[in-house]
Amino acid sequence: MGETSASFCKLIPESGESISLSEIISALSFAIELTDGAVHGHALRTCVLGMRIAVEAGFTSEQKASLYYALLLKDVGNEEVLGLRCDRGASIVSKLGMGSLAADAVNNLEEHWDGSGTPHGLCGGEIPKLARVAAVAQHLDMFSIGRNSRVAIETLEEWSGRLFDPELVDAAVALHRRGVLWEGCRGEDDPQATRAAVLALDPNKKHRLDEDQIDRICEAFAEIVDAKSHFTFRHSIGVAELARGIAEYLHLPPHRVRLVWRAALLHDLGKLSISNKILDKKTQLTDREWNIVRQHPGLTRQILEQIAPFREIAVVAGEHHEKLDGSGYPNRLSACDLAIESRIIAVADVYGALSEDRPYRPGLSFAEILPILNDLSGRKLDESCIGALLSYLSDHTPIDVSAEVGARRITRFCA
Ligand SMILES: [Fe+2]
Ligand SMILES: [Fe+2]
């Protein structure tokens, strides 16, 4: 279990450590690969292979910079991989700040050198160069899984001139013969070694993100999580808005409000690992299915902990199902372990979940949620956070909170 949110010293400096886009994206690519049918570590290995081939083939600095993100993010816009229910891939990719060259590469990944591919049947040099190298790299990784690298290279050569650009195949073969193609990116290599190779190859590593850019990336990943099931199509964003409102009404300083915003956006990242058969199930979950569901906060934490400046965000996000009386999961923490930031997100998450439709019931009205909050207040959920939530809802929604509260003897209603 390790440290809890309450163990963080709140004297941590306000400004976060500087961070590059690749540090965040390479960690979050693990989250994408938690989804059904995805191959673990594939995006990172493809990135290393593709960048090495691009260097060998003499790509320009601009091409390499765009290619890098195209390789890491190629599956974000892929509806099959993520099972996105709506056409949100393009919006997510643009929020991640990927330039047009990179987007072009992702959109043309399935084109074939001989014109037999999709979606446009482009042929040879008509296919964007970045898409051609991305196709070679992703297939090389797939060909190598469960086999050795020599077989992968031979398979690549077999398809040269049909699926793949022969010049790029030659570049890959030359690297393979010199023994410098596969280091750190074989299927059996430690994912952390592959991630280190990815970070070392980043052509943009000197470019550090500003705080607003980090927020945009968290928002994009919240969209990816929300798009997984139509029952949660706005859950992470909605919970984050409520959590930010509660944090502001509790007068947390701006940098703590920002931490709450990011942790709430990312709190259900681990849900990408849960099959839609479970998430969308209309009947009661079996014990085995419940066990799977209960693992998601821990996975959220594991993924976010890989981003060093997100260490506290990881812990707070991983505590969103913990309860003050020790009845929550995954670690049955209790009040003394749970900092205000975690308590805020727990309240926002319960309110968000109750107000949304679920496969087994329609969303509840405010009047129906109120007695439930009343029952949980002080026992499982923090009373002051519930008070702040009611104040926030009163000021920002058409809900007549004071009339309902007066009629129902709810918890202390103050910020
Ligand atoms: Fe959750
Ligand atoms: Fe949630």
Side-chain angles (χ1 to χ4, degrees):
M1 171 179 86
E3 60 201 339
T4 65
S5 56
S7 58
F8 276 86
C9 171
K10 295 301 180 322
L11 298 174
I12 288 173
E14 289 187 23
S15 58
E17 298 161 52
S18 83
I19 186 165
S20 68
L21 183 57
S22 60
E23 281 168 86
I24 299 194
I25 301 293
S26 60
L28 296 183
S29 77
F30 283 116
I32 292 167
E33 291 174 351
L34 292 172
T35 51
D36 294 343
V39 180
H40 194 64
H42 171 67
L44 297 187
R45 292 191 299 270
T46 299
C47 180
V48 176
L49 292 167
M51 290 305 290
R52 287 176 182 163
I53 295 167
V55 171
E56 179 74 9
F59 277 39
T60 65
S61 306
E62 192 198 1
Q63 286 172 326
K64 282 186 283 191
S66 296
L67 176 68
Y68 186 77
Y69 294 127
L71 292 166
L72 277 181
L73 297 170
K74 68 186 183 63
D75 289 332
V76 167
N78 182 334
E79 301 194 5
E80 266 173 51
V81 169
L82 280 175
L84 297 188
R85 298 299 177 99
C86 355
D87 185 18
R88 289 162 115 179
S91 123
I92 290 166
V93 163
S94 84
K95 266 202 180 153
L96 286 168
M98 193 157 92
S100 60
L101 265 183
D104 226 26
V106 171
N107 291 333
N108 290 287
L109 261 176
E110 303 303 324
E111 298 290 356
H112 298 161
W113 183 254
D114 64 5
S116 64
T118 56
H120 305 297
L122 301 181
C123 188
E126 291 172 353
I127 306 168
K129 200 168 178 184
L130 271 54
R132 284 181 260 150
V133 74
V136 168
Q138 71 170 4
H139 281 89
L140 251 187
D141 181 54
M142 298 311 286
F143 293 156
S144 72
I145 290 169
R147 307 183 192 97
N148 61 41
S149 52
R150 187 180 51 78
V151 175
I153 280 288
E154 284 169 5
T155 314
L156 192 73
E157 284 181 293
E158 264 173 48
W159 290 96
S160 181
R162 286 189 283 164
L163 292 186
F164 309 122
D165 178 345
E167 264 184 48
L168 296 174
V169 172
D170 291 346
V173 172
L175 289 165
H176 172 79
R177 292 207 175 119
R178 298 207 304 275
V180 290
L181 179 59
W182 298 96
E183 197 186 335
C185 60
R186 293 176 189 86
E188 66 273 19
D189 284 329
D190 174 7
Q192 290 308 332
T194 310
R195 184 161 179 249
V198 165
L199 296 177
L201 282 162
D202 181 1
N204 318 290
K205 59 174 155 276
K206 289 214 176 73
H207 176 73
R208 313 312 281 182
L209 297 171
D210 65 34
E211 298 292 331
D212 289 336
Q213 286 171 318
I214 297 173
D215 283 347
R216 293 296 88 73
I217 293 166
C218 295
E219 288 159 20
F221 274 82
E223 268 195 60
I224 293 172
V225 176
D226 287 354
K228 187 168 164 69
S229 164
H230 67 266
F231 291 106
T232 55
F233 81 104
R234 246 196 125 263
H235 176 73
S236 305
I237 300 281
V239 168
E241 281 169 0
L242 292 174
R244 181 172 59 187
I246 299 171
E248 285 171 350
Y249 274 65
L250 289 172
H251 307 295
L252 264 61
H255 70 286
R256 305 303 298 174
V257 175
R258 192 162 227 162
L259 181 137
V260 167
W261 171 247
R262 292 177 185 170
L265 284 168
L266 300 172
H267 76 281
D268 272 337
L269 208 52
K271 265 198 180 168
L272 288 170
S273 70
I274 305 176
S275 150
N276 279 72
K277 284 191 197 109
I278 298 178
L279 290 179
D280 298 344
K281 192 172 171 187
K282 288 199 167 65
T283 53
Q284 246 194 342
L285 299 185
T286 63
D287 286 352
R288 192 191 64 84
E289 289 165 340
W290 252 118
N291 279 336
I292 293 171
V293 170
R294 292 160 83 94
Q295 286 168 17
H296 80 271
L299 271 172
T300 295
R301 176 170 168 168
Q302 265 179 36
I303 293 160
L304 294 177
E305 272 178 342
Q306 294 176 47
I307 307 166
F310 274 25
R311 199 167 56 102
E312 189 177 3
I313 292 175
V315 173
V316 169
E319 290 178 348
H320 71 274
H321 285 295
E322 299 289 354
K323 297 287 183 290
L324 299 179
D325 63 0
S327 64
Y329 64 89
N331 292 317
R332 301 183 72 89
L333 301 178
S334 51
C336 60
D337 302 311
L338 298 168
I340 191 68
E341 291 82 4
S342 296
R343 298 174 185 216
I344 290 170
I345 296 173
V347 167
D349 187 46
V350 166
Y351 186 88
L354 291 172
S355 65
E356 294 161 12
D357 289 343
R358 285 292 177 267
Y360 45 87
R361 59 148 175 84
L364 305 185
S365 68
F366 179 75
E368 289 169 309
I369 295 173
L370 205 49
I372 300 174
L373 287 182
N374 196 21
D375 180 46
L376 299 174
S377 178
R379 199 163 53 82
K380 292 181 186 288
L381 294 177
D382 186 285
E383 196 180 5
S384 68
C385 294
I386 293 179
L389 170 70
L390 298 181
S391 298
Y392 171 79
L393 291 174
S394 182
D395 292 347
H396 292 87
T397 65
I399 298 169
D400 187 353
V401 173
S402 48
E404 295 286 349
V405 169
R408 284 168 192 271
R409 185 199 58 83
I410 182 80
T411 176
R412 193 159 50 87
F413 170 34
C414 60

